[in-house]
Amino acid sequence: MNVTEFQQWVNNYYEHRGWSELDIFIRIGFLAEETGEVARAIRALEIGRDRPDEAMESIAENRNALAEELGDVLGNVIVIANKYNISLEEVFQSHKEKLLERYSADG
């Protein structure tokens, strides 16, 4: 599945569940929440858990948790992009151009 197909799949899935109709500010809140969960997953990979009520998990389990949380972030980004009719291809190209313009002199 390419990025355009995935963006459409997410759009269809979220619409079917009624999740696309949420207010954009609620969606931004979900994005912030999921970003925090990415940070927690990275913490687990990098320094582990140190609370007694948290079970130690394997590196593979922590890596899978990070992949899942990154997917949740991406899903929210896609819903936001879809709301404003922005394709991920456009996002990728715009970001690439910005970085090349900003940092190309540095190599």
Side-chain angles (χ1 to χ4, degrees), residues 2-5 16-17 19 23 28-29 34 38 44 49 53 56-57 65-66 82-83 91-92 105 107:
N2 68 38
V3 67
T4 302
E5 292 168 337
H16 176 75
R17 311 272 307 169
W19 297 344
D23 182 87
I28 291 168
E34 296 301 343
V38 166
R49 306 262 193 224
D53 62 335
M56 293 298 288
E57 296 179 346
L66 176 58
N82 286 345
K83 177 174 178 51
V91 171
F92 294 170

Side-chain angles (χ1 to χ4, degrees), residues 12-101:
N12 294 341
Y13 188 83
Y14 276 55
E15 280 185 358
H16 176 75
R17 311 272 307 169
W19 297 344
S20 295
E21 302 307 315
L22 294 174
D23 182 87
I24 191 64
F25 294 105
I26 292 172
R27 179 63 52 201
I28 291 168
F30 287 160
L31 177 59
E33 178 183 346
E34 296 301 343
T35 301
E37 292 178 12
V38 166
R40 184 170 189 208
I42 290 171
R43 175 183 168 258
L45 273 167
E46 294 297 323
I47 63 173
R49 306 262 193 224
D50 60 359
R51 289 180 21 195
D53 62 335
E54 293 180 318
M56 293 298 288
E57 296 179 346
S58 70
I59 291 173
E61 289 170 322
N62 287 332
R63 185 187 174 284
N64 288 341
L66 176 58
E68 182 179 309
E69 298 305 340
L70 288 169
D72 291 343
V73 167
L74 183 57
N76 281 284
V77 167
I78 289 171
V79 171
I80 292 167
N82 286 345
K83 177 174 178 51
Y84 297 103
N85 198 29
I86 300 170
S87 73
L88 289 183
E89 291 283 345
E90 181 181 346
V91 171
F92 294 170
Q93 188 61 37
S94 174
H95 188 64
K96 179 181 175 181
E97 288 171 7
K98 178 179 82 173
L99 292 176
L100 289 173
E101 181 180 312

